[in-house]
């Protein structure tokens, strides 16, 4: 059941001292979606802290990029006590969990790092660490979790299974939450080359466009790919809206 919270006004910062803090903490801020979420939050006048892992090989570049976007950059290590202390100090009103790895990344990491670069350790493990830190340090914060289309209990697909597990734990955590389930997130502006994802989006979007011409616009709104900027607008709009403790599917994110 969704729970109503007072809305934040789009385009306005909430008053300091109001039940809703203005600060947003973005984990995964260096990703395709994360970078756009940071930009969108700043466009809406929301104080934004962009998290970058301290051992990132591109730390200086990300710091410059995210600072230019108007965010403060935080480099807390992915450690439970350290993340809790950071959130305790910041007291964010919004926490975005936009992290994830891919099979290709895990392969590139090689056997030595494979355990640190899996759906279990990143998509589930780091997101769970962030949730635990939020529960401990900022339990009134709204937790926005970027999940995926097709998530269901009992799936044997490891990517879907870790998301189903996390969604279930988030529901029971006691923090106000939003679970976003977009389809493919892609566009020509994605820096990392993902040919299989691009091909899938061309095929799926083509079929859906045909279905749309024949009246199946609902299918198109639900299953067609979206780029990070569209998704970011949808995520921030939902995050500032009045309805909480719910799942937002792709059509709700498109606006
Ligand atoms: N792509 C899709 O079609 C799609 C569809 C639905 C849902 N999703 C999910 O949505 C989320 C965001 O997707 P995206 O495409 O925007 O992701 P992305 O561009 O691949 O970015 C992933 C983010 O996760 C961080 N990350 C990855 N491995 C990490 C590690 N070992 N330690 C710390 N941070 C790590 C990255 O940080 P670094 O830059 O430091 O590596 C980056 O900030 C992911 O969970 C993804 O699975 C994706």
């Amino acid at each position: 059941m969704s729970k109503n919270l007072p809305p934040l006004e789009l385009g306005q910062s909430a008053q300091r001292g109001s039940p809703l803090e203005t600060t947003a903490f973005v984990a995964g801020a260096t990703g395709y979606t994360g970078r756009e979420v940071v930009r969108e939050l700043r466009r809406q006048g929301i104080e934004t802290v962009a998290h970058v892992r301290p051992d990132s090989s591109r730390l200086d570049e990300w710091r410059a990029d995210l600072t230019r976007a108007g965010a403060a950059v935080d480099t807390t290590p992915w450690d439970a006590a350290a993340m809790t202390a950071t959130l305790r100090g910041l007291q964010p009103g919004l926490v975005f969990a936009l992290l994830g790895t891919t099979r290709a990344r895990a392969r590139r990491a090689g056997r030595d790092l494979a355990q640190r670069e899996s759906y279990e350790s990143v998509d589930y493990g780091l997101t769970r660490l962030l949730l635990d830190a939020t529960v401990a340090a900022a339990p009134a914060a709204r937790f926005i979790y970027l999940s995926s289309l097709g998530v269901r209990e009992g799936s044997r697909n490891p990517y879907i299974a870790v998301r189903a597990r996390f969604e279930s734990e988030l529901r029971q955590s006691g923090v106000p939450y939003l679970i976003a389930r977009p389809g493919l997130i892609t566009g020509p502006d994605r820096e990392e080359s993902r040919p299989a994802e691009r091909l899938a989006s061309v095929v799926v979007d083509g079929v859906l466009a045909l279905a749309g011409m024949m009246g199946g616009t609902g299918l198109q709104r639900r299953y067609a790919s979206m780029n990070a900027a569209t998704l970011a607008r949808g995520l921030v709009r939902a995050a500032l809206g009045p309805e909480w403790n719910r799942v937002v599917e792709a059509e709700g994110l498109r606006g």
Side-chain angles (χ1 to χ4, degrees):
M1 191 156 68
S2 72
K3 177 172 134 191
N4 283 351
L5 290 180
L8 288 175
E9 291 292 318
L10 277 180
Q12 263 186 296
S13 296
Q15 297 292 309
R16 285 267 166 227
S18 82
L20 299 169
E21 267 287 350
T22 46
T23 304
F25 184 84
V26 182
T30 58
Y32 179 52
T33 308
R35 293 203 306 273
E36 290 299 331
V37 166
V38 167
R39 289 195 185 101
E40 182 60 22
L41 285 164
R42 291 301 303 135
R43 259 195 291 275
Q44 300 298 340
I46 300 191
E47 208 172 275
T48 304
V49 178
H51 180 261
V52 183
R53 50 171 143 174
D55 56 344
S56 168
S57 57
R58 300 172 66 185
L59 181 55
D60 291 345
E61 188 188 330
W62 291 133
R63 195 188 289 284
D65 188 58
L66 292 161
T67 304
R68 241 189 333 267
V73 173
D74 172 72
T75 56
T76 301
W78 279 106
D79 165 84
M83 193 57 83
T84 304
T86 292
L87 295 190
R88 185 161 286 127
L90 290 171
Q91 285 300 303
L94 302 169
V95 175
F96 286 84
L98 312 175
L99 295 154
T101 192
T102 59
R103 285 215 175 116
R105 267 184 190 237
R107 270 198 304 275
R108 281 199 299 272
R111 201 184 295 172
D112 294 347
L113 289 179
Q115 289 220 311
R116 276 174 48 193
E117 278 293 340
S118 63
Y119 295 139
E120 180 66 33
S121 61
V122 178
D123 300 40
Y124 174 77
L126 298 186
T127 308
R128 177 71 215 217
L129 189 156
L130 183 66
L131 175 62
D132 288 343
T134 305
V135 170
R142 299 169 163 195
F143 195 97
I144 300 99
Y145 172 51
L146 182 49
S147 187
S148 173
L149 180 78
V151 168
R152 61 182 174 81
E153 298 284 341
S155 171
R156 286 160 66 170
N157 175 322
Y159 175 83
I160 297 293
V162 296
R163 279 173 171 67
R165 175 153 44 113
F166 185 77
E167 285 191 7
S168 157
E169 293 173 2
L170 177 57
R171 284 190 178 93
Q172 290 163 32
S173 68
V175 299
Y177 67 83
L178 268 183
I179 293 168
R181 290 193 187 150
L184 277 173
I185 311 165
T186 188
D189 57 338
R190 189 192 267 282
E191 186 186 303
E192 188 186 349
S193 157
R194 294 190 182 179
E197 208 168 270
R198 288 292 295 146
L199 180 63
S201 74
V202 169
V203 173
V204 172
D205 292 352
V207 171
L208 290 169
L210 259 174
M213 283 191 276
M214 293 188 292
T217 47
L219 285 177
Q220 199 173 14
R221 285 181 59 75
R222 178 148 220 183
Y223 296 109
S225 69
M226 73 178 89
N227 65 22
T230 305
L231 175 57
R233 281 195 297 276
L235 285 171
V236 172
R237 190 173 50 244
L240 301 181
E243 278 195 60
W244 279 79
N245 297 347
R246 67 187 179 107
V247 173
V248 196
E249 305 282 357
E251 56 268 55
L253 293 163
R254 280 181 213 283

